[in-house]
Amino acid sequence: MKVGVFSAKPYDRQFLQEVDAPDIDWHFIETRLSEQTLPLAKGMDAICAFVNDQLDTTTLSQLKKMGIMHIALRCAGFNNVDTQAAQRLGFSVSRVPAYSPEAVAEHTLALILTLNRKLHKAYNRIKEGNFSLDGLMGFNLHGKTVGIIGTGRIGAATCRIISGFGCKILCHDPSPNDEVKAMGARYVPIDELVSQADIISLHCPLTPETRHMINDARLSQMKPGVMLINTSRGAMVDTQAVIQHLKNGHIGYLGLDVYEMEGDLFFEDLSDQIIQDDVFQRLQTFPNVLITGHQGFFTREAMTHIAQTTADNLLASQQGDYSAPSFLVTPASS
């Protein structure tokens, strides 16, 4: 089974090749999958895609003409796939729904703690021999109200960690999680959450309903000095609105592991280039903004699980077995 792995990085090659799957012939393709790069998929039996690969109607139609009928996503999110078109065209589409929720949850806490205690600034000061504490004042997490929007596996893992700090936890999710309730968290309407929380962390999938969930109106409802963290999908936050609230001082801290227009930036080394994204560059000018390059998932444990599940999904699709919950789209006959 020849599998074209798009957006392939050295770590993808390492972990996929470590999987015991002799029936899979991995072909690693560094470029992102798009309408322009489709010819690189010629001769493949399946495609393995990542978060910024484009799988719209046009791309899927061309893949079908090549005889490629399975898309294996090596990620949990699938907002980059036109699932309705995939269903109509007869594709099967799989993903990795639960690789390591603790990986993203722990990165969420890393952003919170770094922003709060200004560890990134302290690190640079010490390297320059500056041991002054001026400007490094933080606050105790203990006793603060933390709002978790989305309490699936990652949101629940974040609640478990946050509860250890002695925080009051408010949650919002259309499907409340009994495990989260047992931790003492309280489910409230989203408007109540954003108006009461000192720290707000997003853990939702990107859907038409959640796109720009954090917009100007919701930002205006937040407490002055609020900390906003996003480790889910960039487009859940209206970036232009966030910039305005950073400018007027309403947002006290912003931590992002994802960015609305990250497709041309993240996962690439652009250190010798002039970044053309003016919105991203504007974000970088604020001293209370911390951005990481979509690395929340990036732990050895998570990568091992992602590689194994991706291989399992590919082999299952080859055998016509679509019973696993990791299959998003299955052929109509299955």
Side-chain angles (χ1 to χ4, degrees), residues 236-249:
M236 287 184 61
V237 175
D238 183 339
T239 311
Q240 294 285 6
V242 163
I243 287 174
Q244 291 306 310
H245 285 262
L246 285 165
K247 287 173 64 177
N248 65 28

Side-chain angles (χ1 to χ4, degrees), residues 1 3 5 16-17 19 21 24-28 48 307 310-311 314:
M1 184 184 195
V3 178
V5 183
L16 288 171
Q17 288 181 331
V19 175
I24 298 178
D25 181 13
W26 304 106
H27 289 258
F28 296 98
C48 181
T310 300
L314 284 161

Side-chain angles (χ1 to χ4, degrees), residues 119-132 134 136:
L119 301 181
H120 52 314
K121 296 182 179 181
Y123 171 78
N124 286 324
R125 279 192 189 184
I126 297 300
K127 287 188 70 174
E128 295 173 356
N130 179 356
F131 300 93
S132 167
D134 292 338
L136 300 181

Side-chain angles (χ1 to χ4, degrees), residues 41-55:
K42 187 176 180 180
M44 302 299 162
D45 299 306
I47 291 300
C48 181
F50 198 47
V51 294
N52 291 322
D53 291 311
Q54 299 172 19
L55 290 151

Side-chain angles (χ1 to χ4, degrees), residues 127-204:
K127 287 188 70 174
E128 295 173 356
N130 179 356
F131 300 93
S132 167
L133 298 183
D134 292 338
L136 300 181
M137 182 74 72
F139 58 84
N140 285 4
L141 284 180
H142 184 86
K144 296 298 185 292
T145 298
V146 178
I148 305 294
I149 301 178
T151 54
R153 293 180 178 90
I154 295 172
T158 305
C159 287
R160 281 194 296 273
I161 299 172
I162 282 289
S163 65
F165 283 85
C167 298
K168 175 183 177 183
I169 304 175
L170 300 179
C171 297
H172 176 78
D173 195 302
S175 302
N177 186 329
D178 289 338
E179 178 193 357
V180 170
K181 289 181 181 178
M183 299 176 201
R186 184 164 64 93
Y187 280 86
V188 297
I190 188 169
D191 290 338
E192 182 178 342
L193 183 151
V194 299
S195 65
Q196 293 187 15
D198 302 296
I199 301 168
I200 298 171
S201 188
L202 308 180
H203 300 284
C204 301

Side-chain angles (χ1 to χ4, degrees), residues 3-17 26-33 40 47-53 74 266-268 298 303:
V3 178
V5 183
F6 280 84
S7 299
K9 300 299 181 188
Y11 43 83
D12 294 307
R13 183 186 297 268
Q14 174 191 344
F15 284 92
L16 288 171
Q17 288 181 331
W26 304 106
H27 289 258
F28 296 98
I29 303 164
E30 293 183 7
T31 189
R32 284 188 291 138
L33 176 62
L40 297 173
I47 291 300
C48 181
F50 198 47
V51 294
N52 291 322
D53 291 311
R74 57 185 190 276
F266 286 10
F267 309 111
E268 305 298 334
F298 200 53
M303 289 296 295

